[in-house]
Amino acid sequence: MAQTPSGAALMALALQVQHLAGLLAGAEDRLAAPSGQTGARAAVLACADPQPQTVAAVARRLGLTRQSVQRTADLLVADELAEYFPNPEHKRAKLLGLTPAGQRTLTGIETAQSAWANRISAGLDEGELLRAAELLAQITRRLAARGERSGPD
């Protein structure tokens, strides 16, 4: 099947997003490192703030497997940055929330992220950034609605 112009544009966007994702992952690790964390650990902390979440909910939000998030959550709990709470809606699926130490750690990381985002976005058009974010959200919703993970139909 021949690729449509919009299909070709989507593939060009996907390649750019993959490149950007790699660069962002490296930046996230560098921004979290002074707090003794990784970008992945910081992302899980951020998902558990301000309200505790199940590991499955965190995994869905981050687009990761529940198992990988569970390993990270368990490490955060072992390091006393997070803790598990009973879930009134589900006996087995506990809620992951931040400890005071976890909140302080996340605040430090978010402060560094804000300064970094301000530097990177300087001179870029806010409206264009918001439109780009909405376009990516639309594509994400379409893929999620189809149950897409990877690969062709």
Side-chain angles (χ1 to χ4, degrees), residues 21 93 98 131-132:
L98 302 185
R131 284 188 294 281

Side-chain angles (χ1 to χ4, degrees), residues 5-153:
S6 61
L10 177 62
M11 293 309 299
L13 177 64
L15 288 172
Q16 193 62 45
V17 167
Q18 288 174 335
H19 186 195
L20 176 61
L23 293 171
L24 289 173
E28 290 165 355
D29 283 340
R30 286 188 300 280
L31 293 167
S35 297
Q37 303 304 310
T38 64
R41 288 170 60 114
V44 172
L45 286 172
C47 286
D49 182 58
Q51 186 173 336
Q53 301 290 318
T54 64
V55 167
V58 172
R60 281 190 300 275
R61 182 169 173 198
L62 297 175
L64 300 171
T65 65
R66 188 199 56 76
Q67 293 86 349
S68 69
V69 173
Q70 184 70 61
R71 283 189 296 275
T72 302
D74 289 344
L75 291 171
L76 291 168
V77 169
D79 289 346
E80 299 181 352
L81 297 175
E83 60 187 315
Y84 291 114
F85 297 96
N87 183 348
E89 296 180 17
H90 194 286
K91 288 182 182 181
R92 289 181 49 213
K94 295 190 183 315
L95 298 172
L96 179 71
L98 302 185
T99 63
Q103 186 63 63
R104 286 189 301 276
T105 298
L106 179 61
T107 298
I109 293 167
E110 289 176 338
T111 299
Q113 288 171 335
S114 291
W116 174 85
N118 290 345
R119 282 192 313 275
I120 298 300
S121 66
L124 297 175
D125 183 88
E126 178 187 359
E128 286 184 9
L129 290 170
L130 292 171
R131 284 188 294 281
E134 178 52 34
L135 176 60
L136 293 174
Q138 287 176 26
I139 294 168
T140 300
R141 287 190 296 271
R142 283 187 181 206
L143 291 172
R146 292 175 49 103
E148 299 280 337
R149 283 255 193 230
S150 64
D153 283 338

